[in-house]
Amino acid sequence: MNIGIVGAGIVGLAVAREVARTRGATVTVLDKEDRVGAHQTGHNSGVVHAGIYYQPGSLKARLCREGMALLRQYCAEHRIPYDEVGKLVVASTAAERPGLRRIAERARANQVPGIAELDALALREVEPHTVGVAAVHSPHTAIADFPAVARRLALDVAETGGSVLLSHPVRALRETASGVEVLAGSRRLRFDRLIVCAGLGTDTVARMAGGAGDVRIVPFRGEYYALAGASKDLVRGLIYPVPDPRYPFLGVHLTRRIDGEVLVGPNAVMALALEGYSWGDVDLTDLRRILAWEGTRRLAARHWRTGVREVLGSMAKGSFLAAARRYVPELTRADLVRTAGGVRAQAVARDGSMLDDFAIDVHGRVTLVRNAPSPAATSSLAIARHIVGLTSVLTR
Ligand SMILES: Cc1cc2nc3c(=O)[nH]c(=O)nc-3n(C[C@H](O)[C@H](O)[C@H](O)COP(=O)(O)OP(=O)(O)OC[C@H]3O[C@@H](n4cnc5c(N)ncnc54)[C@H](O)[C@@H]3O)c2cc1C
């Protein structure tokens, strides 16, 4: 078979490799950018999640656990940096203890290995500069170089005879009786099947396929500060707040990255363009579409207070500092320097709810990955197995 994949992010490349490896198919990956991993894959926290938070039985819970094991092995085989630095979810007040207890229960329900509940003293043995009344420790939560994984996956695709065509934006597609015709850049290509892993571009390609469906991507920017100089030594691994169960994003946390930087963030503000990496990035066509979606308006009506707080926080270094000092009080204003952020592709349903789980739609010969937010980088190799295993995706 001749399979086309839209998107050379970590998910599209993992799918391409899996299709080529297990089905002997010829694969062609198309991306509009001039490099692989240009969007979410190259702009994230770099955390290999162990699967603590997710609804037991969900795709996220299963594919995160499987994906972590596959990724660890893949990184070892290809000598890609991967480090089990461990993660603490910290309750900073007694009022957060019940939430922390629920996290521990959920982690056990998801069979996350090595989970331990720590008191205030024990948590300082793991992170000596962190304060809190209690914590949940996940020793196998790791950090990895996701862009390096994406680059290696692209090499795997090439080694199986497939191609990764960069600077090839998909502009139009048409399903015919025998396949899918795609206009990418200035080339016309024909595939037996097309699998769309286009992240922030998902809706655009879904519309071309006639499968707009009942969800839309709403872009949520995550902004970060980085710790400067010696303040990096105050954090050994990953320090997270007890998450608010009403929101899928995990709250500002401290993250050691594989290159030695320590990030403070990300927050979550609605971006003013699908690829809105800063407040200056405004695309009126994107914005009109995002605001015209009933789901966006309902989401805004429900969560406007949080939205306003996040926007004000986005402007103020003090809010990041306060969030970080809650866990590491030795940090000062001078320790935080602004650094690049990323934009999450979050699917929002018509009723204004944010899709929690990974979502995949099969629309004739076109398979659309509709929602692949965090932990999709962690889960990418397992998502690929899952998609290739869906009989409707690759049978003629
Ligand atoms: C701030 C932030 C923090 C995160 N932290 C983590 C984390 O710590 N751990 C984790 O596991 N996950 C994390 N994630 C989530 C993770 O980064 C994503 O889930 C994952 O990268 C999704 O990969 P993807 O391949 O689906 O999307 P992308 O990497 O966005 O790739 C989609 C590709 O499609 C291409 N494309 C779009 N439209 C077209 C078109 N018309 N034609 C051709 N190409 C097109 C784009 O150029 C892009 O390269 C985070 C995300 C963000 C934004």
Side-chain angles (χ1 to χ4, degrees):
M1 285 182 102
N2 177 19
I3 308 294
I5 285 117
V6 185
I10 199 166
V11 174
L13 290 164
V15 170
R17 167 182 174 266
E18 192 66 15
V19 172
R21 202 172 67 92
T22 62
R23 301 299 177 102
T26 307
V27 295
T28 306
V29 184
L30 303 164
D31 202 290
K32 63 190 177 66
E33 304 297 347
D34 61 2
R35 60 201 187 283
V36 303
H39 290 289
Q40 295 174 91
T41 299
H43 296 90
N44 60 45
S45 302
V47 177
V48 182
H49 291 287
I52 296 178
Y53 306 102
Y54 315 115
Q55 180 71 36
S58 63
L59 278 180
K60 269 190 180 175
R62 176 164 68 83
L63 299 180
C64 182
R65 197 175 53 240
E66 290 173 15
M68 179 191 219
L70 291 170
L71 190 69
R72 191 194 309 119
Q73 192 187 338
Y74 188 79
C75 288
E77 270 167 25
H78 297 288
R79 300 195 180 165
I80 295 170
Y82 183 103
D83 192 357
E84 282 191 354
V85 289
K87 164 176 179 169
L88 280 182
V89 182
V90 180
S92 41
T93 62
E96 288 180 344
R97 280 183 189 275
L100 191 68
R101 174 58 51 86
R102 279 194 294 276
I103 289 290
E105 281 163 9
R106 183 156 278 196
R108 293 201 178 96
N110 285 334
Q111 296 160 27
V112 177
I115 287 295
E117 288 176 74
L118 308 181
D119 62 17
L121 259 167
L123 79 84
R124 283 180 84 94
E125 281 167 28
V126 180
E127 287 285 356
H129 300 276
T130 297
V131 296
V133 296
V136 166
H137 185 219
S138 165
H140 298 295
T141 300
I143 51 177
D145 187 342
F146 290 130
V149 172
R151 290 193 295 273
R152 180 61 238 183
L153 290 169
L155 287 179
D156 290 351
V157 168
E159 281 170 11
T160 58
S163 8
V164 179
L165 302 181
L166 301 174
S167 306
H168 275 69
V170 171
R171 298 181 195 284
L173 59 92
R174 185 167 69 105
E175 223 184 304
T176 65
S178 62
V180 187
E181 286 177 6
V182 176
L183 177 64
S186 55
R187 287 169 73 165
R188 277 182 191 284
L189 301 153
R190 193 212 147 271
F191 302 108
D192 295 317
R193 295 274 172 163
L194 190 72
I195 305 175
V196 180
C197 311
L200 294 157
T202 302
D203 291 348
T204 315
V205 185
R207 267 195 305 277
M208 294 175 198
D214 228 22
V215 293
R216 294 290 181 279
I217 292 294
V218 176
F220 284 97
R221 186 170 58 250
E223 299 162 323
Y224 294 94
Y225 282 80
L227 295 189
S231 66
K232 286 180 199 149
D233 299 335
L234 299 175
V235 177
R236 287 182 175 168
L238 311 165
I239 304 165
Y240 280 63
V242 177
D244 183 334
R246 289 170 301 167
Y247 300 102
F249 312 127
L250 296 175
V252 167
H253 42 268
L254 291 123
T255 310
R256 177 161 287 279
R257 249 185 11 191
I258 204 81
D259 61 2
E261 292 295 329
V262 177
L263 299 177
V264 178
N267 61 351
V269 288
M270 204 186 96
L272 304 179
L274 283 169
E275 292 169 9
Y277 286 93
S278 73
W279 285 115
D281 291 338
V282 183
D283 182 314
L284 292 179
T285 311
D286 285 353
L287 199 53
R288 241 179 261 125
R289 282 219 171 94
I290 295 162
L291 297 177
W293 175 236
E294 273 175 73
T296 312
R297 297 203 299 267
R298 291 191 169 133
L299 177 76
R302 212 173 291 160
H303 297 299
W304 66 271
R305 275 194 194 85
T306 313
V308 169
R309 203 169 50 234
E310 289 284 310
V311 169
L312 293 176
S314 150
M315 316 278 181
K317 181 175 181 175
S319 67
F320 284 80
L321 179 63
R325 278 176 53 91
R326 211 175 139 103
Y327 305 100
V328 185
E330 288 167 63
L331 288 171
T332 66
R333 199 174 175 84
D335 293 328
L336 267 62
V337 287
R338 191 88 181 196
T339 190
V343 186
R344 308 170 179 91
Q346 173 64 49
V348 173
R350 192 180 286 281
D351 67 3
S353 60
M354 292 189 251
L355 260 66
D356 191 34
D357 209 358
F358 298 144
I360 295 143
D361 276 1
V362 182
H363 189 80
R365 291 171 181 273
V366 181
T367 297
L368 297 158
V369 175
R370 296 308 299 245
N371 195 44
S374 188
T378 302
S379 318
S380 49
L381 297 172
I383 292 175
R385 280 195 179 178
H386 174 73
I387 290 177
V388 172
L390 292 173
T391 46
S392 49
V393 174
L394 291 176
T395 42
R396 275 177 200 269

